[in-house]
Amino acid sequence: MPESSSIDTRQVRRNFARAAKDYDRAAFLAREVDRRMLERLDYVKIAPKHIIDLGCGTGGTLTALKERYPKARLSGIDASRAMLEWGRKTRNHARWLLPFLRHDTAALVCADAACLPLPDACADFVWSNQMLHWCDPLPVFREVARVLAPGGLFMFSTLGPDTLKELRAAFAESEGQGRGGPAHTQGFVDMHDLGDMLLESGYAGPVMDMEVLTLTYPGWDELLRELRGSGGACAMSNRPRGLMGKTKWRRMLAAYERLRQEGRLPVSLEVIYGHAWKAEDTRKEGADRREGERQVVRFFDRRGGPNSSV
């Protein structure tokens, strides 16, 4: 499980600063998961007064949330100033072209997800799509619990350990190393560990769900272009700093090529979904967690999800 010290937060911001202008075109996964999360809201009855989109990026979800909850006040928060600025620019242009979007206003704030410039219990609903794997989840869960009012909803998605497993295996083979080698992909936390963190942070009735999506690409260049364009380059502290030697690079490409199926390169993505409520009484919730056989977290595993091609 990645710890806060293993993630280079400056590199995360640099990656997304470089990706800002191309992000909305390249971030297929974020858009698809966003769509699936919005569908899940059909089964949740809430009437929030204040919604926070945590890790909002360029703000693409704010319009959909405003349409679903027109009376709510929205705040978009992201650690990348470049992403927020690019999103503000494109959204202002869209509102000028499309008058019906002029009601769609949201406060955009650049801030660390684990240290939000917000008062306690100020929000009824916190939404976070594909942000948690860029930070240490536990401090974020605690901070979200702080800003949520009792009974408020936290809904999120992130990536799990099987994400990019083909790429990790190809790099490991090229270097003749196992798991102890340098990190070439981001570290990802297991669904069960995330559930434990939610309980530790004082949430009630957490529900965890996961599915594996497989994207396919015609070649390495297309895969790498989308990873970089969506800000998905590795930002682990132990990532290689220099250029990879030509021999190792060729071995890595050859190893990945052996995985080609029906003429395309596969990329596995373990998508984790979670939602939980801010406990009305955190002391009672803690007592409930200590009950002998009670199952507190519900887990659902939906492996073998659909394939997609890019």
Side-chain angles (χ1 to χ4, degrees):
M1 182 178 69
E3 298 178 356
S4 57
S5 59
S6 68
I7 298 175
D8 185 342
T9 55
R10 292 184 180 180
Q11 185 62 34
V12 172
R13 289 192 290 270
R14 283 193 291 266
N15 287 346
F16 281 100
R18 285 194 293 263
K21 293 183 180 180
D22 296 319
Y23 181 82
D24 290 328
R25 265 195 317 272
F28 166 82
L29 176 66
R31 291 196 307 273
E32 176 60 22
V33 175
D34 185 80
R35 181 186 67 79
R36 297 180 185 214
M37 288 178 65
L38 287 167
E39 288 178 350
R40 290 164 182 243
L41 285 177
D42 292 340
Y43 306 99
V44 179
K45 294 183 179 181
I46 55 173
K49 296 178 181 178
H50 182 199
I51 301 172
I52 297 172
D53 184 352
L54 189 58
C56 67
T58 57
T61 310
L62 293 170
T63 298
L65 290 172
K66 186 65 175 179
E67 288 176 353
R68 186 175 286 265
Y69 306 109
K71 296 182 179 180
R73 177 168 59 92
L74 269 70
S75 299
I77 299 176
D78 200 276
S80 171
R81 190 175 301 277
M83 292 280 281
L84 291 171
E85 289 176 351
W86 184 254
R88 183 182 288 110
K89 179 180 178 180
T90 55
R91 286 163 62 78
N92 286 342
H93 183 63
R95 283 196 290 268
W96 180 76
L97 290 175
L98 304 171
F100 69 86
L101 288 179
R102 289 178 185 167
H103 73 282
D104 177 21
T105 58
L108 299 180
V109 180
C110 184
D112 184 340
C115 186
L116 299 174
L118 299 171
D120 295 353
C122 68
D124 312 287
F125 179 24
V126 175
W127 164 286
S128 181
N129 178 28
Q130 296 296 293
M131 183 274 294
L132 284 170
H133 48 272
W134 300 113
C135 53
D136 181 359
L138 183 57
V140 176
F141 286 172
R142 290 171 175 164
E143 186 69 347
V144 170
R146 182 186 68 80
V147 301
L148 270 177
L153 175 63
F154 179 32
M155 188 173 188
F156 65 88
S157 72
T158 186
L159 295 176
D162 275 349
T163 298
L164 302 178
K165 63 181 181 181
E166 300 89 352
L167 184 57
R168 284 197 302 277
F171 272 116
E173 183 175 336
S174 72
E175 296 176 338
Q177 296 175 334
R179 293 181 176 271
H184 292 280
T185 69
Q186 195 65 14
F188 303 105
V189 180
D190 183 79
M191 172 174 69
H192 298 83
D193 292 327
L194 291 170
D196 291 342
M197 292 179 194
L198 287 170
L199 292 178
E200 185 179 339
S201 302
Y203 292 90
V207 177
M208 304 298 300
D209 180 14
M210 68 82 71
E211 61 183 337
V212 175
L213 307 180
T214 302
L215 305 185
T216 64
Y217 296 82
W220 170 256
D221 291 342
E222 291 81 4
L223 188 162
L224 188 62
R225 187 181 307 119
E226 181 163 300
L227 274 178
R228 289 176 174 170
S230 62
C234 180
M236 303 303 289
S237 297
N238 64 334
R239 69 191 184 280
R241 292 301 201 275
L243 294 175
M244 195 175 192
K246 289 183 179 180
T247 300
K248 289 183 179 181
W249 182 254
R250 288 169 182 161
R251 284 205 299 260
M252 185 279 295
L253 292 178
Y256 213 140
E257 279 294 328
R258 288 194 288 274
L259 301 175
R260 190 178 285 274
Q261 301 173 8
E262 299 180 356
R264 299 180 71 88
L265 296 178
V267 176
S268 295
L269 301 163
E270 181 184 338
V271 183
I272 296 173
Y273 305 90
H275 72 265
W277 304 87
K278 169 70 174 295
E280 296 282 354
D281 185 338
T282 55
R283 290 173 298 177
K284 179 179 183 300
E285 184 66 17
D288 289 342
R289 289 200 301 275
R290 290 190 292 271
E291 290 182 7
E293 297 296 326
R294 180 176 178 183
Q295 182 180 355
V296 186
V297 188
R298 288 187 290 161
F299 293 100
F300 299 90
D301 188 332
R302 297 185 290 133
R303 293 181 184 271
N307 293 329
S308 300
S309 297
V310 175

